[in-house]
Amino acid sequence: MKTFTDPAALHAWCAEQKRAGRRIGLVPTMGFLHEGHLSLIREARRHADDVVVSIFVNPTQFAPNEDYAAYPRDEAHDLALCEAEGAAAVFLPKPADLYAPDASTWVEETVLEKGYCGAQRPIHFRGVCTVVAKLFNIVGPDVAVFGQKDFQQAAVIRRMVRDLNFPIEIIRAPIVRDEDGLAKSSRNTYLTPESRAQALSLSRSLRAAKAAVEAGERDAAKLEALIRAETEANGWIPDYVTVADADSLEPRTTVTPGHNVILIACRQGRLRLIDNVLL
Ligand code: AMP
């Protein structure tokens, strides 16, 4: 497995692989890898000959009051996991390797990014789109894999790829959960045992809502109320709970099975978790 910190060196290596007729897959991450990330690497391997994993805590997607400095990092462990999953290369740039001190160009999707997490985190998706576009230009992947866990992010990236004609197939891989239902996240390391136990109310209420839809419920307000009640009773206060169209992310008042998703974000003090379920 190769490791790179220099974008030009990675670009040259990827170009060489492509000249040799190899398909390249990209898995962008912020590191502190868990089984969710590893499932993305496996999915990428099914669609590509060489998988490049990027590990970069991207400063431009964090607001000053967010957890950029505290974000968990473990480079040695991440590299061992990538190697074990058969990644061909890992890209570990420092911020100065990717951003010139006077960088002044942004990539911004302007519609799908507006609500949900974008409403709470106004500069977040601009930072995500910019860094992902840069990674796409450096690697030139045939395919890139993103997790359903960050549902809005995957929608925004798909839109960016369509609107800017990136010749890249985007795959959205399912959410990987702990056995008790909690969606895996590098940020779960911030949870105390008590807040973690209470956080199970997110996935539990989403499962209950999905079961209600399967039993015939079509009223989005009822599903949203069910989820709010369950999470609030467990000390997790919703930022948003919304039944939405899975492509446009527009809120829906009536459920159309096969086309909708329930998106939720909940807070407990400074802790914030997101989750979702396709209906
Ligand atoms: P992150 O390192 O949190 O920025 O995530 C990198 C990629 O892994 C994103 O595409 C995430 O959606 C995806 N991911 C994170 N957690 C999970 C999970 N539990 N299941 C599936 N994919 C995930």
Side-chain angles (χ1 to χ4, degrees):
M1 187 178 76
K2 299 210 159 266
T3 59
F4 296 91
T5 54
D6 175 23
L10 176 61
H11 182 77
W13 181 80
C14 291
E16 194 183 308
Q17 301 310 108
K18 292 210 288 183
R19 273 196 301 278
R22 297 178 71 76
R23 270 174 70 81
I24 297 192
L26 173 66
V27 178
T29 82
M30 298 206 298
F32 210 68
L33 302 181
H34 51 66
E35 188 58 34
H37 299 111
L38 304 185
S39 77
L40 268 44
I41 299 174
R42 272 174 231 136
E43 183 64 18
R45 287 195 68 194
R46 280 193 279 278
H47 296 268
D49 302 302
D50 293 317
V51 172
V52 178
V53 180
S54 63
I55 296 177
F56 181 58
V57 184
N58 174 36
T60 66
Q61 69 191 65
F62 288 80
N65 62 334
E66 293 182 346
D67 59 343
Y68 175 71
Y71 196 86
R73 293 160 167 91
D74 188 347
E75 205 173 290
H77 189 234
D78 287 349
L79 285 170
L81 291 173
C82 288
E83 176 119 56
E85 287 303 333
V90 179
F91 182 40
L92 306 135
K94 296 281 167 271
D97 297 319
L98 274 188
Y99 292 106
D102 58 350
S104 54
T105 307
W106 296 101
V107 179
E108 189 171 11
E109 190 284 330
T110 58
V111 170
L112 300 179
E113 69 147 36
K114 283 289 181 283
Y116 311 106
C117 289
Q120 317 289 327
R121 308 181 71 189
I123 60 147
H124 176 69
F125 287 112
R126 181 186 76 167
V128 170
C129 284
T130 302
V131 80
V132 170
K134 286 159 75 71
L135 292 169
F136 285 174
N137 284 332
I138 293 164
V139 172
D142 297 280
V143 55
V145 184
F146 293 84
Q148 182 195 324
K149 164 79 185 352
D150 299 276
F151 197 93
Q152 185 178 17
Q153 170 174 280
V156 166
I157 297 292
R158 271 194 180 152
R159 178 65 62 88
M160 174 186 84
V161 162
R162 185 200 73 179
D163 289 351
L164 298 185
N165 300 88
F166 281 106
I168 300 170
E169 180 191 355
I170 302 298
I171 294 174
R172 190 181 68 203
I175 302 177
V176 175
R177 298 178 180 281
D178 287 337
E179 269 178 26
D180 56 13
L182 185 69
K184 286 186 184 279
S185 166
S186 307
R187 288 191 169 100
N188 288 353
T189 168
Y190 300 152
L191 300 173
T192 63
E194 192 193 3
S195 60
R196 190 192 177 289
Q198 294 170 326
L200 297 180
S201 60
L202 278 75
S203 54
R204 192 164 60 233
S205 62
L206 286 173
R207 277 199 309 278
K210 187 179 168 78
V213 170
E214 282 162 4
E217 183 62 74
R218 295 291 177 268
D219 184 346
K222 285 201 180 134
L223 300 172
E224 291 165 11
L226 177 161
I227 293 164
R228 281 182 182 279
E230 173 79 8
T231 55
E232 277 171 13
N234 285 277
W236 280 90
I237 309 308
D239 269 349
Y240 59 81
V241 176
T242 309
V243 176
D245 180 85
D247 294 318
S248 71
L249 305 188
E250 277 174 19
R252 289 286 177 254
T253 52
T254 305
V255 175
T256 312
H259 296 275
N260 293 167
V261 60
I262 309 179
L263 301 170
I264 70 173
C266 294
R267 277 186 195 280
Q268 189 177 79
R270 297 207 47 184
L271 303 172
R272 186 171 183 276
L273 293 175
I274 58 172
D275 203 344
N276 65 83
V277 69
L278 283 162
L279 298 175

